Amino acid sequence: MTRHIDRERQAGDSREGGRRKSIAVGLVDDHPAMILGMSAVINTFPGMRVVGAASTVEALLAGSGKFDVVLLDLQLADGSTPRTNVERLTDAGAAHQTRVVAFTSGENARLVREAAHAGVSGMIRKSESPERIMRAIEATTRGETIATPDWATALLEDTAFVDAHLTRRESEVLARYASGQTAEQVAKALFVSRDTVLDHLRRIRGRYAAVGRQAPTKIDLHMRAAEDGLV
């Protein structure tokens, strides 16, 4: 099933009254009722519009839509894996900085862990209230990680999880930086120079890379900090 929303209506929403462009949302779910229901809900949110929906990632990407956020069901009937789907969505939307959120019932922790390690921006339960879903989508577009209790529990149960062994100072720097502070703000709070903070961040990235938990961007660092309970 594939459905694309009227682009002219989206453009009109973004121009009307000088408002900013709507957040373009994509949905991947193989239950038609879920797609229809979530599309109706999201399209009632001010500043948001579902611009594409499909039962598979392949079908979604076959359309011409550009997405700010894609809500991805982790267990699809086509047999695809969360890792493959996340990588395809992020690669295809790299120029547009598409962010992927696991949209799930949460009953399969293994799938949640696989999605986390593939680089999703967090997890939303399908049973959440419309208001929580709206706030989660907005937060995702700001580069925040949606770290729910289900998300944290799934990661804590990962027996293959490897500790990066950060020092106390590195943990403090990461906690502040991942919480949204700039390098300058972290430096001021810790009474050190900005260059010292940047040196710490380089070492932190190196420690995570050494254990296979790469963190090249600030979003990745936020995810690593959330996984380690620092934010």
Side-chain angles (χ1 to χ4, degrees):
M1 172 183 176
T2 303
R3 183 168 64 88
H4 291 280
I5 310 302
D6 186 349
R7 267 66 170 185
E8 291 184 3
R9 182 175 64 174
Q10 180 190 4
D13 288 347
S14 67
R15 290 192 300 266
E16 183 182 352
R19 295 196 297 270
R20 64 175 177 80
K21 181 180 177 182
S22 294
I23 297 172
V25 180
L27 298 174
V28 179
D29 197 297
D30 52 15
H31 292 86
M34 177 60 69
I35 282 186
L36 290 172
M38 283 309 306
S39 295
V41 168
I42 291 172
N43 287 339
T44 66
F45 298 155
M48 289 185 196
R49 188 66 57 192
V50 175
V51 298
S55 59
T56 66
V57 168
E58 181 180 0
L60 185 74
L61 295 178
S64 58
K66 294 182 178 179
F67 310 102
D68 298 307
V69 179
V70 174
L71 302 185
L72 172 68
D73 187 1
L74 299 184
Q75 194 161 13
L76 299 173
D78 66 349
S80 57
T81 67
R83 177 174 294 279
T84 298
N85 286 333
V86 171
E87 290 175 350
R88 290 188 66 193
L89 287 168
T90 52
D91 287 347
H96 195 64
Q97 294 186 323
T98 299
R99 306 186 192 284
V100 182
V101 175
F103 191 51
T104 175
S105 300
E107 70 281 354
N108 193 323
R110 180 187 63 79
L111 295 179
V112 174
R113 288 195 295 270
E114 182 177 340
H117 294 310
V120 294
S121 296
M123 169 184 165
I124 304 175
R125 266 189 176 270
K126 294 179 179 180
S127 58
E128 288 287 5
S129 68
E131 292 76 15
R132 284 183 177 273
I133 292 173
M134 178 185 68
R135 288 198 296 270
I137 292 172
E138 289 178 333
T140 301
T141 63
R142 295 192 297 267
E144 299 176 19
T145 299
I146 313 305
T148 64
D150 291 315
W151 172 270
T153 298
L155 293 175
L156 286 173
E157 291 175 352
D158 189 353
T159 57
F161 192 80
V162 181
D163 192 344
H165 297 294
L166 301 182
T167 67
R168 181 176 179 180
R169 175 60 79 169
E170 287 168 349
S171 296
E172 188 173 11
V173 169
L174 177 57
R176 290 179 177 276
Y177 188 70
S179 295
Q181 293 185 7
T182 64
E184 290 82 1
Q185 290 170 328
V186 176
K188 184 176 180 180
L190 299 181
F191 303 100
V192 297
S193 69
R194 178 178 181 273
D195 286 342
T196 297
V197 171
L198 294 178
D199 284 340
H200 279 306
L201 292 173
R202 279 192 287 270
R203 286 196 292 272
I204 289 168
R205 286 189 167 98
R207 289 184 188 277
Y208 279 118
V211 296
R213 299 170 62 198
Q214 284 73 14
T217 69
K218 187 168 186 174
I219 294 174
D220 293 319
L221 283 175
H222 184 103
M223 292 180 65
R224 301 293 87 80
E227 290 167 359
D228 289 347
L230 298 175
V231 293

